[in-house]
Structures are given as C-alpha cells and as structure tokens.
Amino acid sequence: MLKRSQINYTVGIAKRVFAELGLRLPPFAYMTPADWLAAGPEYDEIRDCNLGWDVTDFGMDDFAMYGRCLFTLRNGKKNATYPKAYAEKFILDPEGQRAPAHFHRSKREDIINRGSGDIVIDLASATPEGQKDTRPLSIAIDGIRRTIPSQTKVVLKPGESIHLEPGTIHSFWGEKGILIDGVHYTASGEVSSVCDDFNDNFFLNGAPRFPNIAEDAPKDVFLCHEYPKPGA
C-alpha cells in the first residue's frame, strides 16, 4: 500500500520542483484538509472534474519504479455542467519512475518536457485487444510528423513535446534534472482532450489507476479523488 507519509513527501517535492521550473500552481493547490472541509459548492468543479493533486503507485507497491505525482490544473466532462473539452496537468518525473505501460481509447494528448532533464517515452502500437503490436507508429514531435517502429523510445529535451493519438501504448519517465535528497527530478506537462481517469486508462498489466493508502500520517492535502462534499 502507498503510505500517506510518502504522498505528503512527494507533494512537497513536486511543489518545490514546479516552483524551481517556474510552473506556478493555482491557489487551490495549497488548500489544507481543513480548508476543504470548509469549502462550499463554489468549489464543485474542482471536486467533480478531479482537479488537484494525484499521487498513485498503481497498486504495485514499488513507488520508486511505478508511480506518479501530478497536478491537474483543468479538466472537463463534456457535459452541460462542465463543457470543457480539454485538460492540462503538471507531472513530477523522478528519475526512473513511470506509470505502467497503458493507452487511452478516447484521450488525445501532448506530452511536454517542462524543463531541467530529459523525458524518455517508450511507445508501441496496440492491437485491437490492447496488447503491443508490431505496426509502425505515426507521431508528431513539435508538429513534425514522423513514422517510427513500434516499441521505440523517444527522448524529449526541455521544451520539446510529442503528440500521442488514442490507442498509443506509452510509458515515460525522467532522466537527470534537479537533484533533491539523492534523486533527480524533472517535470513534464500534459495537454489533452478531456481526461477520464476512471474509464479511459487501459494498463497492459491490469494495474488499478488509484492507490490503496496506508494512513500512517495525517493528510497534508486531499488527493483529487478524496475531496469531501460541501458540508461534510
């Protein structure tokens, strides 16, 4: 299980790295659990669209290798209440840490290296059944279209971005970057169509998207799927 103390530490590191890279977070990134318990329905878009902090080990109990800490700045649901058709995230990339290989059937996304180190992306085409295929991939790096073999690694330097079409199997991690407590960190960004983390993540190993959490410390923040309802 992912420990709450690890979540707290990682969110603190993310705030530090994002600040050093000039990635400014909105005020709700700094709201405490007490703030959220007092927050009214005017905050419902944040709650309902799962904005904010998101830390997971994908149920794999190896956070150094398989994990993610990110902050969702904006998202929608493509409905009358939340009609936004786009989403944006800042992602903390400790050296070597990654999400398990996965793809999205709906989401179209750009992954952007937001600075300090390299972002390495392992890419593969997918069969209709959602397994790795041998078909070549069509990708675009900063608007320049190219075809690459399936199961190829692409390295993004700071400022570079890659466009991933739905159905592209991918996993990415940082290399080099800002050194904190013996670990190098960089940051990436994601700009995409609406992000539905509950229904549009397909992990090749069947990993769950959200973690089971061991409450070994008080919460510093609520994660994006933990917000209390108004008046709770």
Side-chain angles (χ1 to χ4, degrees), residues 50-129:
N50 300 110
L51 308 187
W53 292 107
D54 183 353
V55 184
T56 182
D57 66 351
F58 303 98
M60 298 183 71
D61 297 326
D62 187 3
F63 188 67
M65 177 64 73
Y66 294 105
R68 187 66 87 220
C69 174
L70 61 89
F71 189 89
T72 301
L73 297 118
R74 61 200 96 255
N75 196 14
K77 287 184 175 291
K78 293 191 291 188
N79 61 24
T81 305
Y82 305 116
K84 287 178 184 174
Y86 54 87
E88 183 181 9
K89 301 175 180 180
F90 292 156
I91 303 169
L92 180 70
D93 294 294
E95 190 162 36
Q97 187 192 67
R98 68 208 67 191
H102 64 288
F103 66 96
H104 314 287
R105 296 196 187 278
S106 177
K107 186 170 74 171
R108 179 180 296 275
E109 60 189 320
D110 282 10
I111 304 298
I112 307 120
N113 185 334
R114 292 295 189 187
S116 83
D118 294 339
I119 299 296
V120 182
I121 308 179
D122 195 357
L123 298 167
S125 55
T127 67
E129 296 75 29

Side-chain angles (χ1 to χ4, degrees), residues 4 7-12 15 28-34 36 52-55 69 71 213 215 217-224 226-228:
R4 182 66 65 177
I7 293 170
N8 292 343
Y9 174 79
T10 303
V11 167
K15 290 176 179 177
F28 75 89
Y30 303 96
M31 289 175 64
T32 66
W36 276 108
W53 292 107
D54 183 353
V55 184
C69 174
F71 189 89
I213 298 173
E215 301 292 352
K219 294 181 179 73
D220 285 352
V221 297
F222 280 118
L223 300 182
C224 64
E226 295 182 320
Y227 296 125

Side-chain angles (χ1 to χ4, degrees), residues 104-183:
H104 314 287
R105 296 196 187 278
S106 177
K107 186 170 74 171
R108 179 180 296 275
E109 60 189 320
D110 282 10
I111 304 298
I112 307 120
N113 185 334
R114 292 295 189 187
S116 83
D118 294 339
I119 299 296
V120 182
I121 308 179
D122 195 357
L123 298 167
S125 55
T127 67
E129 296 75 29
Q131 298 301 312
K132 289 183 179 179
D133 200 355
T134 58
R135 291 178 297 107
L137 280 167
S138 176
I139 62 170
I141 296 178
D142 296 325
I144 302 169
R145 180 67 59 178
R146 65 190 70 179
T147 300
I148 62 172
S150 183
Q151 302 183 49
T152 293
K153 292 182 178 67
V154 173
V155 178
L156 299 180
K157 298 295 183 181
E160 290 185 320
S161 66
I162 187 170
H163 175 71
L164 302 181
E165 297 182 358
T168 304
I169 295 171
H170 58 286
S171 179
F172 62 90
W173 57 92
E175 290 186 349
K176 300 175 286 189
I178 299 167
L179 183 63
I180 302 174
D181 295 341
V183 178

